Amino acid sequence: MGWWQVNADTLAGSRFAVSPLAETFASLKVLHAGEGAHPGELAWLTEHLPAYRRRLSHDPVTALLVRSGLGRAWIADFLTPTPGEGATFAEEIARVRDTDPTTARDDLTVSLPVSY
């Protein structure tokens, strides 16, 4: 979670949309960090973290993509595209899959931790 201060012109030109993919990605970030901020997250982590870690241990390519995409300070932009109004999870995932490989590499370069 971040704290953003915006002026009235920026706010007036903004739009708010629910993104199933962004919500899923937020859950992925919690899983990856392995730390909950409140009792509900802690209970959810207790239930799902072992399976998440098993999945990544059996799929090193996905594990590397998750680590790279989450980065240290920036998430690779192509992983959370701006949602279209009323977009479904499947539609948002299709947009991620359709990302040009050059764009994905460029985004991962920005988010990729230096130690990898």
Side-chain angles (χ1 to χ4, degrees):
M1 166 118 15
W3 178 264
W4 294 18
Q5 292 182 312
V6 297
N7 63 28
D9 290 336
T10 301
L11 187 58
S14 299
R15 65 184 179 88
F16 297 91
V18 174
S19 167
L21 179 59
E23 292 299 319
T24 301
F25 207 80
S27 296
L28 177 63
K29 285 186 64 151
V30 171
L31 279 169
H32 195 72
E35 299 175 359
H38 56 77
E41 278 185 351
L42 293 172
W44 183 80
L45 277 170
T46 298
E47 183 175 346
H48 297 287
L49 188 57
Y52 171 75
R53 289 186 172 156
R54 275 193 309 277
R55 167 67 193 253
L56 292 187
S57 72
H58 290 98
D59 189 347
V61 173
T62 297
L64 181 58
L65 177 61
V66 169
R67 283 194 310 270
S68 301
L70 290 175
R72 288 195 178 136
W74 193 258
I75 297 169
D77 287 343
F78 82 97
L79 293 172
T80 54
T82 303
E85 192 168 325
T88 66
F89 182 75
E91 290 166 340
E92 290 186 317
I93 287 291
R95 287 184 58 204
V96 172
R97 285 187 180 134
D98 291 341
T99 300
D100 178 84
T102 301
T103 299
R105 275 191 298 275
D106 290 346
D107 288 355
L108 288 168
T109 299
V110 171
S111 68
L112 186 65
V114 176
S115 63
Y116 289 109

